[in-house]
């Protein structure tokens, strides 16, 4: 202890004590200055305050054997404890065994300044042991000369390692130069330094130290005296805060932080995404309540929910429209979350803004697509039923009428076939616009399917009012539609049903209007029919016919008869025509004239036609098995059948599966069906030619076929129309048309078949004029397969 510190103490005494601490001798005069009587204390522990004796006894053996220093409280009789500093020097006998210890006791004076003096007298080693961080003294060479145990713990180095290491070696290469410069600045320039540096312990644990240092002088040399704190945790927290700040800046959603300040909640922070979404820069919105971006008069319910959530200090999620800086609207999905302080008080709100304008538009577009026809933009079936239901509710409440109109365009398929599907689309969109223009905004125009439309005229005060609206609609539909350089005439059959007279539900009203429309359509012209009870029986009959047809297919009620065609050159029967019959369970055997028109109307002609082909191919397979390998079968097909996709390919598959050559099948197509869509006819007949299937043109001379088109169609046979054959009689020149048609066929190198031959005169006339084949009741009536086999067998024997 230096002299300056010794002067701080008021009394001093030196004791000799035995190795166990018993007092051997002391200076009586000095002891009296402490207030101790001779013999009062037998052991040095007796001089200490009671609360200090436990610590002393714990360390006494070491101190008495090795020496050292200790600051303790001492007591004297009748006096309060006072602070004293003990220094101990061990004593040894000549043989080296412990002989006791000399104890130097310096006691602080009683009275003012005692606490400061005592604290100032605490040895440095005692202080640095208690120091919460690392304490160190570094010499001019950069080596540690004094440190506390915290430095060893923080560096994971032992005392021996710290003695040998240079302070700069503790740190990584990136920080060594800074540490060395700081050390030099303290020792050479007497600067006070505070730096942070990274340290990696021997175990690999990274840490960051905050170190301070100042210069002290001792025995003529300078030292750096300083303290260090491990700020690794603080750095981690700072890095986490910086990461969160970067995340806020990088977020694609707008983020806004506002202070909870009552009615207004001023903005304190916005991220770049907020600036991008709203168009406002941060400095333009800070300090303002975000309500300034609200779109006036819009989405009041959502804004009320948000206002209530803020007042109640709770989370909320709303979607409403805001205004960008440029005045454009955008859909804003906003989530606000209250932020609480340590006391649980809401101090701020964090708002997350998501621009969902594109999602809203896409959703609106999808909803429109779900409820509207993509071509015309009219309501579709889904929306029609909803609108009609609403109209009925209003009419029931107001005691008014609802008119339901079902409209079917006339000859729309012919428009598609003649002008193309693009023209058909133009007609549909034009008609849709005219219908919408003819009704009120409260009415509904819907596209049901294809060329069928439904109008719902809501809240009709009277039938006369409905008739006036119907007149406007008919006038609009009578105007031709312009397409390219053509004008396409448009007409429509209209069926009307009235609520509550014709039905009380949407389904009943549409069904009634549909029945009325079919009656209007049967007139063959643009006409309007209102539903009546008599129509229902007719409609029921049509429905029963369709049901019977489906049952007939399921129950194999359809079968074929075969009418031979006689070759006038060989007098044999090279081919037969398959004739359809229906064995109806109630009506008996029906010919196609009894049901084919109905099948065309209800669409059953296609499955029935497919069944005819199956039966014809099966017949060919059976006939070949019986040895009639050269027989050819002709089958009548209509326009609806040949217009099917992959029609010829499906026939090829049937023939291949039955192992029947394709040239044994002949398809008869009516001349008027071939001219209905010449491009389709060319495509189908080309596919037939490629497959090897024969083509026969039925009712030749009865249509408008251009002779220049016949070679392109590749027909193998022309069948004279029955009128031309029927005109052949005893009277004059009535066979001229048949003769001319035969000549046309032969000029085109196409065989000609005379059909409907009922008399010997007709047969003889056709033979004389070169007709190649004859068919009709005079030649043979339609035969079942068994009878046909007998006829063919008999012909072979001739």
């Amino acid at each position: 202890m230096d002299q300056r510190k010794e002067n701080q103490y008021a009394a001093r005494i030196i004791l000799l004590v035995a190795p166990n601490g018993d007092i051997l001798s002391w200076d009586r005069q000095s002891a009296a200055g402490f207030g101790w009587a001779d013999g009062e204390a037998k052991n040095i522990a007796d001089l200490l305050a009671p609360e200090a004796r436990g610590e002393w006894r714990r360390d006494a053996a070491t101190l008495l054997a090795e020496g050292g220093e200790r600051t303790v409280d001492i007591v004297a009789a009748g006096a309060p404890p006072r602070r004293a500093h003990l220094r101990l020097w061990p004593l040894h006998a000549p043989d080296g065994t412990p002989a006791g210890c000399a104890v130097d006791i310096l006691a602080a004076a009683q009275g003012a300044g005692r606490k400061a003096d005592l604290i100032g007298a605490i040895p440095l080693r005692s202080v640095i042991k208690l120091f919460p961080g690392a304490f160190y003294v570094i010499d001019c060479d950069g080596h540690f000369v004094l440190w506390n145990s915290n430095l060893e713990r923080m560096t994971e180095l032992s005392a021996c390692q710290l003695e040998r290491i240079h302070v700069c070696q503790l740190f990584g290469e990136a920080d060594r130069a800074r540490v060395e410069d700081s050390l030099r600045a303290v020792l050479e320039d007497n600067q006070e330094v505070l730096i942070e540096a990274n340290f990696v312990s021997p175990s690999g644990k990274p840490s960051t130290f905050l170190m301070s240092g100042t210069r002290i002088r001792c025995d003529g040399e300078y030292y750096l005296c300083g303290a260090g704190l491990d700020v690794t945790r603080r750095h981690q927290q700072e890095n986490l805060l910086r990461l969160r700040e970067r995340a806020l800046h990088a977020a694609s959603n707008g983020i806004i932080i506002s202070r909870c300040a009552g009615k207004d909640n001023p903005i304190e922070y916005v991220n770049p995404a907020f600036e991008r979404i709203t168009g406002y820069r941060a400095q333009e919105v800070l300090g303002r309540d975000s309500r300034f971006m609200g779109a006036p008069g819009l989405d009041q319910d959502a804004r009320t929910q948000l206002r209530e959530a803020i007042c109640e200090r709770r989370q909320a999620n709303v979607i409403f429209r805001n205004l960008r800086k440029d005045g454009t609207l955008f859909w804003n999905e906003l989530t606000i979350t209250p932020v609480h302080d340590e006391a649980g008080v809401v101090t701020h709100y964090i708002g997350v803004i998501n621009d969902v304008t594109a999602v809203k538009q896409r959703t609106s577009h999808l909803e429109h697509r779900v409820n509207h026809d993509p071509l015309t933009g009219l309501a579709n079936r889904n929306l029609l039923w909803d609108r009609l239901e609403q109209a009925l509710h209003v009419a029931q409440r107001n005691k008014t009428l609802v008119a339901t109109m079902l409209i079917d365009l006339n000859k729309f398929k012919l428009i598609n076939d003649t002008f193309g599907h693009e023209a058909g689309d133009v007609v549909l969109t034009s008609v849709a616009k005219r219908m919408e223009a003819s009704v009120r905004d409260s009415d509904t125009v819907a596209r049901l399917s294809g060329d069928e439309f439904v109008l719902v005229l809501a809240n009709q005060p009277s039938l006369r009012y409905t008739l006036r609206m119907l007149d406007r609609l008919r006038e609009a539909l009578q105007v031709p539609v312009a397409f390219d350089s053509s004008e396409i005439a448009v007409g429509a059959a209209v069926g009307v049903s009235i609520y509550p007279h014709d039905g009380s539900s949407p389904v009943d009203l549409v069904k009634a209007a549909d029945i009325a429309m079919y009656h209007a359509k049967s007139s063959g012209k643009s006409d309007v029919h209102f539903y009546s009870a008599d129509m229902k029986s007719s409609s029921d009959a049509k429905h029963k016919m369709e049901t019977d047809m489906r049952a007939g297919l399921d129950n194999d009620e359809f079968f074929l008869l075969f009418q031979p065609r006689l070759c006038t050159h060989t007098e044999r029967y090279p081919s037969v025509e398959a004739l359809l019959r229906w064995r109806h369970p109630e009506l008996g055997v029906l010919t196609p004239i009894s049901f084919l028109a109905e099948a065309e109307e209800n669409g059953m002609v296609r499955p029935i036609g497919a069944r005819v082909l199956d039966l014809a191919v099966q017949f060919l397979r059976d006939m070949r098995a019986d040895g009639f390998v050269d027989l050819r079968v002709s089958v009548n097909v209509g326009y609806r059948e040949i217009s099917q996709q992959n029609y010829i390919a499906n026939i090829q598959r049937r023939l291949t599966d039955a192992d029947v050559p394709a040239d044994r099948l002949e398809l008869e197509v009516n001349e008027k069906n071939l001219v209905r869509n010449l491009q389709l006819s060319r495509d189908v007949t080309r596919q037939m030619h490629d497959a090897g299937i024969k083509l026969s043109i039925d009712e030749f001379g009865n249509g408008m076929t251009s002779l220049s088109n016949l070679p392109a169609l590749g027909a193998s046979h022309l069948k004279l129309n029955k009128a031309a054959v029927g005109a052949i009689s005893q009277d004059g020149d009535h066979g001229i048309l048949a003769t001319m048609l035969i000549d046309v066929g032969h000029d085109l190198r196409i065989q000609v078949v005379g059909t409907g031959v009922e008399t010997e005169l007709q047969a003889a006339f056709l033979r004389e004029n070169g007709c190649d084949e004859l068919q009709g009741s005079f030649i043979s009536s339609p035969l079942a397969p068994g009878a046909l086999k007998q006829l063919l067998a008999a012909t072979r024997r001739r």
Side-chain angles (χ1 to χ4, degrees), residues 539-584:
S539 177
D540 289 345
K542 291 178 180 291
H543 179 69
K544 185 178 186 309
M545 177 64 78
E546 181 179 347
T547 302
D548 289 349
M549 288 180 186
R550 296 184 187 279
L553 288 172
D554 292 339
N555 300 327
D556 292 327
E557 295 171 1
F558 292 95
F559 66 97
L560 296 181
L561 297 178
F562 302 91
Q563 189 170 38
R565 284 169 27 189
L566 177 67
C567 176
T568 58
H569 308 298
T570 64
E571 296 299 323
R572 293 182 178 274
Y573 301 101
S575 62
V576 296
E577 180 179 354
L579 301 176
L580 177 63
R581 297 293 184 267
W582 180 8
R583 192 176 289 106
H584 195 283

Side-chain angles (χ1 to χ4, degrees), residues 375-431:
L375 175 63
T376 63
L378 298 178
N380 62 9
R381 286 176 179 268
N382 295 334
L383 191 55
L384 167 65
W385 297 120
D386 183 63
R387 295 277 182 84
L388 185 49
E389 188 77 43
Q390 292 180 25
L392 296 182
H393 283 309
V394 173
Q396 187 177 20
R397 185 174 61 249
N398 298 340
K399 306 300 181 183
T400 54
L401 306 177
V402 175
T404 304
M405 300 182 181
L406 202 148
I407 301 169
D408 185 88
L409 301 185
N410 292 337
K411 300 180 180 179
F412 181 71
K413 289 182 174 58
L414 181 60
I415 294 173
N416 274 330
D417 297 340
T418 305
F419 297 96
H421 288 282
E422 183 181 355
D425 291 345
V426 171
V427 170
L428 291 175
T429 53
S430 298
V431 168

Side-chain angles (χ1 to χ4, degrees), residues 154-191:
M154 292 163 66
T155 61
E156 297 181 6
L157 297 175
S158 66
C160 294
Q161 291 173 316
L162 285 172
E163 283 180 350
R164 294 192 299 268
I165 197 170
H166 191 281
V167 64
C168 292
Q169 292 180 273
L170 292 174
F171 302 97
E173 294 182 1
D175 292 324
R176 284 180 186 174
R178 288 194 306 113
V179 174
E180 190 172 359
D181 291 343
S182 300
L183 187 63
R184 188 181 303 110
V186 174
L187 295 173
E188 296 180 4
D189 302 330
N190 196 25
Q191 296 182 13

Side-chain angles (χ1 to χ4, degrees), residues 626-795:
D626 290 341
F628 301 100
V629 295
D630 296 328
L631 184 68
R632 187 171 65 250
V633 174
S634 67
V635 177
N636 278 282
V637 295
Y639 179 80
R640 284 200 176 199
E641 294 167 273
I642 65 173
S643 62
Q644 296 177 89
Q645 191 174 12
N646 300 322
Y647 179 67
I648 300 301
N650 289 331
I651 295 178
Q652 275 186 285
R653 178 181 51 77
R654 287 183 173 91
L655 293 168
T656 302
D657 292 345
D659 195 22
V660 173
D663 62 356
R664 296 299 89 195
L665 180 66
E666 178 182 306
L667 299 183
E668 290 189 19
V669 185
N670 195 293
E671 182 184 12
K672 68 177 182 180
N673 288 330
L674 287 173
V675 300
R676 186 172 179 178
N677 187 335
L678 286 173
Q679 183 58 51
L680 173 65
S681 299
R682 292 191 184 99
D683 291 342
V684 172
T685 55
R686 176 181 54 77
Q687 294 172 29
M688 292 173 60
H689 182 269
D690 293 342
I693 299 172
K694 301 295 184 181
L695 169 65
S696 176
I697 299 177
D698 195 18
E699 292 293 328
F700 180 64
N702 198 35
M704 302 291 291
T705 306
S706 172
L707 295 181
S708 62
N709 291 320
L710 285 177
L713 296 177
S716 61
H717 292 78
L718 298 177
K719 301 186 76 171
L720 300 179
N721 67 79
K722 293 180 176 58
V725 175
I728 301 172
S729 66
Q730 298 283 359
D731 304 329
D733 300 326
H734 292 298
I736 295 176
L737 178 58
T739 304
M740 182 184 68
L741 293 176
I742 293 171
D743 292 340
V744 169
H746 288 166
D747 289 341
L748 295 174
R749 295 186 175 84
I750 301 175
Q751 292 190 355
V752 180
V753 180
T755 60
V757 179
E758 297 177 354
T759 66
E760 182 179 0
L761 175 64
Q762 293 170 346
F765 183 88
L766 293 173
R767 285 175 184 273
E768 291 171 4
N769 286 276
C771 188
D772 300 289
E773 293 183 19
L774 303 178
Q775 178 185 348
S777 59
F778 179 76
I779 305 301
S780 174
S781 60
L783 302 174
L788 177 64
K789 289 178 184 179
Q790 294 178 4
L791 175 64
L792 295 178
T795 305

Side-chain angles (χ1 to χ4, degrees), residues 2 15 31 42 69 86 112 145 167 172 193 210 227 246 305 309 315 323 337 339 421 461 511 610 622 722 724 773:
D2 60 30
L15 310 175
K42 295 181 180 181
E69 298 183 8
L86 280 65
V145 295
V167 64
V193 174
L210 173 64
R246 289 195 301 272
Q305 293 177 32
Q315 187 178 18
L323 289 172
T337 303
V339 179
H421 288 282
K511 188 180 295 185
D622 294 343
K722 293 180 176 58
E773 293 183 19

Side-chain angles (χ1 to χ4, degrees), residues 198-474:
N198 295 314
F199 167 76
V200 178
S201 68
S203 66
K205 175 184 176 183
S207 303
T208 302
F209 285 144
L210 173 64
M211 301 180 297
S212 63
T214 188
R215 189 175 73 178
I216 62 173
R217 184 180 177 86
C218 182
D219 198 19
E221 293 187 15
Y222 290 122
Y223 297 86
L224 183 150
C225 180
L229 291 175
D230 186 347
V231 294
T232 305
R233 184 175 180 82
R234 191 197 72 188
H235 262 254
Q236 291 172 345
Q237 293 175 339
E238 290 176 349
N239 289 336
L240 182 59
L241 289 174
R242 282 192 289 269
L243 174 62
R244 290 172 177 172
E245 184 176 5
R246 289 195 301 272
L248 289 176
H249 275 65
S252 59
N253 291 338
I255 297 176
I256 178 173
I257 300 177
S258 61
R259 188 173 71 255
C260 180
K263 181 179 179 181
D264 292 327
N265 296 280
I267 297 172
E268 293 188 349
Y269 168 84
V270 294
N271 70 342
F274 173 91
E275 296 178 322
R276 173 179 53 80
I277 292 171
T278 65
Y280 288 99
R281 297 183 63 81
Q283 54 265 34
E284 295 177 294
V285 301
L286 295 180
R288 304 175 67 180
D289 189 286
S290 59
R291 291 197 305 268
F292 78 92
M293 293 185 295
L298 296 178
D299 311 311
Q300 293 304 317
D301 289 343
R303 297 185 189 281
T304 299
Q305 293 177 32
L306 180 61
R307 186 165 55 250
E308 291 175 351
I310 292 174
C311 291
E312 297 170 9
R313 307 292 192 264
R314 58 178 172 80
Q315 187 178 18
N317 178 267
V318 293
I319 298 177
F320 51 75
R321 279 164 286 188
N322 275 352
L323 289 172
R324 292 188 173 94
K325 184 178 179 181
D326 61 7
T328 59
L329 282 171
F330 73 97
W331 281 98
N332 172 25
E333 180 183 17
L334 173 64
T335 300
I336 62 164
T337 303
V339 179
H340 300 79
D341 63 9
E342 294 79 1
V345 178
V346 175
T347 60
H348 293 80
Y349 286 100
I350 292 181
V352 179
I353 294 175
N354 187 14
D355 184 354
V356 294
T357 306
V359 175
K360 276 287 187 178
Q361 290 174 344
R362 187 161 54 249
T363 302
S364 177
H365 178 66
L366 289 175
E367 288 177 352
H368 187 274
R369 289 184 61 182
V370 168
N371 293 312
H372 291 79
D373 174 57
L375 175 63
T376 63
L378 298 178
N380 62 9
R381 286 176 179 268
N382 295 334
L383 191 55
L384 167 65
W385 297 120
D386 183 63
R387 295 277 182 84
L388 185 49
E389 188 77 43
Q390 292 180 25
L392 296 182
H393 283 309
V394 173
Q396 187 177 20
R397 185 174 61 249
N398 298 340
K399 306 300 181 183
T400 54
L401 306 177
V402 175
T404 304
M405 300 182 181
L406 202 148
I407 301 169
D408 185 88
L409 301 185
N410 292 337
K411 300 180 180 179
F412 181 71
K413 289 182 174 58
L414 181 60
I415 294 173
N416 274 330
D417 297 340
T418 305
F419 297 96
H421 288 282
E422 183 181 355
D425 291 345
V426 171
V427 170
L428 291 175
T429 53
S430 298
V431 168
K433 291 178 182 178
R434 293 179 189 178
M435 289 180 181
E436 286 188 305
S438 301
V439 299
R440 306 161 300 175
D441 293 339
S442 57
D443 300 323
T444 298
V445 182
R447 185 183 178 197
L448 197 60
S449 64
D451 59 337
E452 286 188 341
F453 299 85
V454 175
L455 271 65
V456 178
L457 307 183
N459 206 24
Q460 301 285 291
S462 66
L463 189 57
R464 182 177 298 177
Y465 187 85
T466 303
L467 291 173
R468 287 200 298 267
M469 297 185 70
L470 183 57
D471 287 339
R472 288 203 305 270
L473 178 65
R474 294 180 65 186

